Amino acid sequence: MTGFRQRIGLMAVALTVVLASCSTSKVVVMHQDVAKQMEAEGNYAAATESWSAYFNEQTTKGTEVSAESYAQAAKVAVKADRKDLAESWYVLAAAGGYSDPEMQLELAEIYRGQNEIPNELTALETFKEKYAAAPEISEVNGRLFELYAMMKKDEQAKAIWSDLNEEQRHQKEYLDDYFKIVSKGEDKAAIEAVAEDLVKADPENVKALEWLGETYYHKAENSYQAEMKAYEKKHTQVQYLHLTQELKVINGNFKKSLECFSTLWDLDQKKSYATYLTNIYARFDNKSKADYYRKFVN
């Protein structure tokens, strides 16, 4: 530690000599040199101060600072935990037309820490637009989906869903948000597919279980009613064989519904769940089970 302080002291002395003996333009160069030297030594706080001094000198002179310099200084400020300076310098770099993947990600992270959601969204959208082939794109897509869902931007969330990787599309947090979005629409097949994936990822997800339980029940019950009416009108061998085949599908849907409502019943003994369970067991001619759940209905 003593050696490190001595080096800093010597650097300060050297800078003082330069200030006394060199031109103003040389001073500006020295600020940059000191900043780079301090960064190389891992002294990011000192490097940040030197960059700040450089920018102050340039402002006083009315000299334009390159966008690249602002970006370089901002990255050092991030390492020095000077997020305030990093943000302002990144913004100046962007205003000067500069951008790179690291800059966009760090800007997004700064805004996220400040809970500035619109600014974070803009930074991530810029990253996706410019650096779609970058290694970090999966993480960016995931966060963009979270933000779109959070901000109720349903169309954008649906559009980016296909950009999520396979693992992300099977994570319950993403699936939960996506299910809430797609369930607002009319595409029953799409909703069913998402609900099935969500239950696999989160076996006790109430909303998905309710949707699937009700959907499978009504699908089975409606088919049952329709097939029985058709058989009553035409008691032929062909119609009977058709009914037999259809009942296999119907019973399969009743069983799927039963699985959903049995799980829901274990979680919460609601009257509505008992009603479905009663009716399903009645269709299976299981009187004891039907009578058991009927007690919770009346």
Side-chain angles (χ1 to χ4, degrees):
M1 180 62 74
T2 301
F4 178 77
R5 289 175 177 172
Q6 289 175 340
R7 290 200 304 274
I8 293 299
L10 290 172
M11 186 71 72
V13 171
L15 182 57
T16 301
V17 172
V18 171
L19 286 170
S21 61
C22 299
S23 66
T24 302
S25 61
K26 184 64 175 176
V27 172
V28 172
V29 173
M30 279 303 298
H31 282 311
Q32 288 178 301
D33 288 344
V34 171
K36 292 174 182 178
Q37 180 64 33
M38 291 297 95
E39 181 183 0
E41 295 182 4
N43 190 344
Y44 303 119
T48 299
E49 291 304 319
S50 291
W51 273 116
S52 185
Y54 167 68
F55 296 144
N56 288 337
E57 289 280 352
Q58 294 293 71
T59 299
T60 299
K61 291 175 57 180
T63 304
E64 184 178 356
V65 176
S66 70
E68 290 83 356
S69 293
Y70 281 126
Q72 184 178 357
K75 291 171 184 177
V76 174
V78 169
K79 295 175 182 177
D81 199 28
R82 289 297 306 274
K83 302 294 177 63
D84 53 336
L85 286 176
E87 178 189 355
S88 63
W89 290 344
Y90 272 140
V91 169
L92 289 170
Y98 182 86
S99 177
D100 65 35
E102 183 182 356
M103 168 180 158
Q104 292 304 137
L105 289 177
E106 288 182 346
L107 252 182
E109 189 62 29
I110 290 170
Y111 289 135
R112 184 173 185 175
Q114 297 171 346
N115 200 32
E116 295 182 24
I117 302 301
N119 287 335
E120 180 190 358
L121 180 64
T122 299
L124 292 175
E125 287 178 331
T126 299
F127 183 97
K128 182 173 176 61
E129 179 183 350
K130 293 185 175 182
Y131 312 110
E136 301 88 354
I137 193 63
S138 290
E139 181 182 349
V140 169
N141 286 335
R143 181 56 180 165
L144 279 171
F145 175 79
E146 290 177 352
L147 292 176
Y148 289 141
M150 183 191 309
M151 300 170 74
K152 309 299 182 185
K153 295 178 177 289
D154 292 352
E155 292 307 312
Q156 290 93 324
K158 286 192 288 186
I160 204 172
W161 179 256
S162 60
D163 290 339
L164 301 189
N165 62 39
E166 189 71 14
E167 181 181 353
Q168 289 171 322
R169 290 200 300 271
H170 287 87
Q171 290 180 8
K172 65 180 182 179
E173 293 80 8
Y174 292 121
L175 280 166
D176 189 47
D177 283 336
Y178 194 50
F179 174 71
K180 292 173 183 175
I181 293 170
V182 297
S183 60
K184 298 175 185 177
E186 301 297 326
D187 190 342
K188 300 298 182 183
I191 301 171
E192 183 176 326
V194 176
E196 290 279 12
D197 285 343
L198 177 53
V199 170
K200 289 177 184 176
D202 182 11
E204 295 185 351
N205 188 285
V206 172
K207 292 298 182 183
L209 285 168
E210 287 180 340
W211 193 93
L212 287 171
E214 292 172 7
T215 297
Y216 286 134
Y217 175 82
H218 291 298
K219 189 184 295 186
E221 183 64 21
N222 291 340
S223 293
Y224 177 83
Q225 295 290 348
E227 293 300 330
M228 292 304 296
K229 285 181 181 179
Y231 182 66
E232 288 171 4
K233 289 180 180 179
K234 190 184 297 184
H235 282 77
T236 64
Q237 183 65 20
V238 173
Q239 192 65 38
Y240 176 76
L241 291 174
H242 175 77
L243 175 61
T244 302
Q245 292 300 314
E246 288 301 312
L247 284 175
K248 292 179 182 178
V249 177
I250 291 168
N251 287 339
N253 285 326
F254 273 132
K255 287 179 180 178
K256 290 179 182 179
S257 180
L258 178 61
E259 291 174 3
C260 293
F261 284 113
S262 293
T263 300
L264 288 166
W265 181 258
D266 289 339
L267 296 172
D268 189 3
Q269 296 185 355
K270 287 186 177 181
K271 180 178 178 179
S272 58
Y273 302 159
T275 299
Y276 280 109
L277 289 166
T278 299
N279 294 339
I280 293 169
Y281 279 116
R283 285 291 176 232
F284 287 152
D285 292 326
N286 190 328
K287 187 176 184 304
S288 62
K289 286 282 191 179
D291 288 343
Y292 172 78
Y293 289 106
R294 190 174 288 108
K295 292 184 299 183
F296 297 93
V297 177
N298 299 325

